[in-house]
Amino acid sequence: MNVLNQNYRIHRLSDALPVAEFLAQQFEQTAIERDRIGGTPKYERDLIRQSGLLSLSIPEEFGGFSGRWQDTFDVVRIFAQVDSSIAHVFGFHHLLLATVRLFGNTSQWKHWYTATAEKSWFWGNALNPLDSRTLVKKHEGWYEFSGKKSFCSGAIDSEMLIASGLDDHTQKLLIAAVPTSRSGITLYHDWDNIGQRQTDSGSSIFERVRVEEKDMLLDPGPLSTPFSTLRPLIAQLVFISMFLGVAEGAFNEAKRYTKNEARSWFLSGVDQANEDPYTLRHYGEFWLQLESVRLLNQHAIATLQTAWDIAENLTEQQRGEVAVAVATAKVAATRASLDITSRIFEVTGARATHAGLRLDRFWRNVRTQTLHDPVEYKIKELGEWALNDKFPNASFYS
């Protein structure tokens, strides 16, 4: 811990990637065992708290490091190469910070940015607008949240939550920022899926949780302006960077195994597995896919950053350009990550299926997370753009 505190904490923005790479090395040492047991990666989350990376995207004037979106997504990608669960909750932390900026008024997000930087808060998710089981009652000067919520990624071991519910009269979506420890909030350790085993994406229940009006994100609120509709595009870029990182991690593991452990096929006519012409063909295709996604991801992040800098003056067309770039990268990242994480066994061989290696964790992780929203709908959006010059409609998922 002392080594981390002294030498691997961010002091300036340029420290971010070296610190992330150091942390990734620590995460890698236990990633296989943690994938087996699931649960909360408490120790690893605390390392991130100590590192200062939770303040990466917060402007310097509020105690952060003024990281650009490229910096944040680069860290997501670095973590995902060894542990996509940690990459997920880290990326969502910065997505939720962006949420208070996009949906809240200036005094709100400035307050929460400052407190997050000062106290190394981790933000967790209890939003999931497709889950309509949480209802909100309005009282004089405060609101009451009651009901269940699913897919609460990163909520366990967080200090703050972004929570949503439907107005019990109008059915309008209402969103708030509340302390995780608030009376009436119960988070369940019931996430036990084949992949993303340590994202704690289980369920929660809100039992007459009191939320003050000052903690409601009503001004401008969700999806109310072109700028506020950037939130789902940021979420998509968390996933894109994560899928890319997982594919790169699978590639790196397969490469090490192929060069050091794999045996050449007896009909190949070569002595080493890394000389087999069909193995070389696979690796050539892997490289082509990875390079393509890297470039598409960089382009999508750059278009997001431009839109973010324009802020409240963002137009519908400018927002649409970001949506097209993000959808393009999302489809490519989904296809490449699923393909590479599955096909690595064709270049490592039968012995690489040994359970102790858990090379299947890369595929299980992207298979689980790529189902977050069906990629077919992204392809349809791209078809509407390519054929009819129609930008994707703004929603919580595109």
Side-chain angles (χ1 to χ4, degrees):
M1 287 292 190
N2 290 333
V3 172
L4 178 65
N5 289 336
Q6 294 173 10
N7 300 322
Y8 292 95
R9 179 178 174 85
I10 301 179
H11 300 286
R12 60 191 67 83
L13 181 58
S14 60
D15 295 335
L17 295 190
V19 168
E21 288 168 354
F22 171 79
L23 289 179
Q25 292 172 7
Q26 313 311 304
F27 301 157
E28 186 176 24
Q29 295 175 18
T30 58
I32 292 175
E33 177 62 15
R34 288 186 293 102
D35 172 75
R36 186 184 66 80
I37 63 176
T40 305
K42 172 63 176 170
Y43 175 75
E44 290 72 22
R45 286 172 65 106
D46 283 343
L47 290 183
I48 295 175
R49 284 185 173 96
Q50 294 177 46
S51 73
L53 284 171
L54 296 181
S55 299
L56 179 59
S57 65
I58 296 174
E60 286 185 16
E61 60 187 298
F62 307 118
F65 298 96
S66 293
R68 308 288 278 173
W69 280 114
Q70 185 70 61
D71 301 307
T72 298
F73 293 129
D74 279 346
V75 175
V76 171
R77 177 180 164 190
I78 289 170
F79 286 168
Q81 290 171 356
V82 299
D83 190 329
S84 58
S85 290
I86 290 175
H88 183 155
V89 297
F90 175 81
F92 262 41
H93 164 81
H94 290 283
L95 167 66
L96 297 169
L97 285 176
T99 302
V100 300
R101 168 69 178 90
L102 293 169
F103 295 173
N105 62 48
T106 302
S107 63
Q108 287 178 311
W109 62 262
K110 285 185 176 181
H111 163 71
W112 283 315
Y113 275 17
T114 302
T116 298
E118 286 180 353
K119 302 173 184 179
S120 297
W121 280 350
F122 229 123
W123 286 69
N125 181 54
L127 198 158
N128 188 7
L130 292 180
D131 191 338
S132 60
R133 293 176 295 170
T134 300
L135 297 179
V136 183
K137 293 182 180 180
K138 189 179 189 309
H139 299 275
E140 189 64 35
W142 61 283
Y143 296 75
E144 181 183 284
F145 281 59
S146 293
K148 296 181 178 180
K149 188 68 70 173
S150 58
F151 293 106
C152 299
S153 300
I156 294 173
D157 188 42
S158 67
E159 282 75 33
M160 292 291 294
L161 291 175
I162 295 292
S164 73
L166 298 179
D167 186 295
D168 66 342
H169 290 303
T170 66
Q171 297 300 296
K172 177 183 177 182
L173 183 68
L174 296 174
I175 298 175
V178 295
T180 309
S181 60
R182 177 68 53 84
S183 176
I185 299 176
T186 303
L187 305 175
Y188 293 102
H189 294 265
D190 55 359
W191 177 251
D192 187 20
N193 287 43
I194 65 170
Q196 296 300 90
R197 301 265 300 147
Q198 289 202 314
T199 60
D200 282 315
S201 297
S203 61
S204 64
I205 188 167
F206 290 72
E207 299 176 277
R208 303 184 66 181
V209 176
R210 179 174 177 133
V211 179
E212 305 300 330
E213 189 154 9
K214 66 181 179 62
D215 295 330
M216 298 292 296
L217 301 178
L218 303 173
D219 181 19
L223 307 182
S224 54
T225 65
F227 184 52
S228 71
T229 64
L230 290 180
R231 184 195 186 278
L233 303 181
I234 297 170
Q236 294 290 334
L237 280 164
V238 171
F239 297 140
I240 295 165
S241 297
M242 189 171 74
F243 299 161
L244 174 57
V246 173
E248 290 174 326
F251 176 89
N252 293 337
E253 286 288 321
K255 181 177 179 179
R256 281 194 290 268
Y257 195 93
T258 300
K259 296 185 73 171
N260 299 311
E261 301 290 339
R263 298 171 179 172
S264 60
W265 186 239
F266 72 97
L267 295 177
S268 66
V270 298
D271 295 328
Q272 303 295 327
N274 63 325
E275 298 172 345
D276 185 288
Y278 298 108
T279 296
L280 292 172
R281 174 180 175 274
H282 282 300
Y283 275 101
E285 290 180 344
F286 294 164
W287 181 258
L288 177 62
Q289 289 175 297
L290 289 172
E291 280 291 274
S292 299
V293 176
R294 285 169 187 143
L295 292 172
L296 290 171
N297 190 37
Q298 287 177 359
H299 173 65
I301 294 170
T303 61
L304 169 67
Q305 187 65 61
T306 298
W308 185 264
D309 293 340
I310 295 171
E312 282 78 8
N313 293 321
L314 189 71
T315 66
E316 292 281 359
Q317 178 167 338
Q318 290 167 327
R319 192 270 180 197
E321 291 168 356
V322 183
V324 170
V326 169
T328 304
K330 176 69 179 296
V331 173
T334 298
R335 289 176 168 176
S337 61
L338 287 170
D339 184 62
I340 291 172
T341 57
S342 173
R343 275 210 288 152
I344 58 171
F345 293 98
E346 297 180 32
V347 296
T348 53
R351 291 189 303 148
T353 62
H354 186 278
L357 296 175
R358 292 183 86 83
L359 288 181
D360 63 314
R361 72 187 186 275
F362 297 106
W363 178 84
R364 286 187 287 103
N365 288 333
V366 292
R367 180 65 284 175
T368 299
Q369 199 58 52
T370 51
L371 297 173
H372 174 77
D373 58 317
V375 73
E376 286 82 1
Y377 287 87
K378 288 288 179 289
I379 298 172
K380 178 180 178 293
E381 290 177 354
L382 292 174
E384 288 279 16
W385 166 248
L387 182 60
N388 299 321
D389 300 318
K390 180 181 178 182
F391 287 127
N393 293 325
S395 72
F396 261 98
Y397 289 92
S398 62

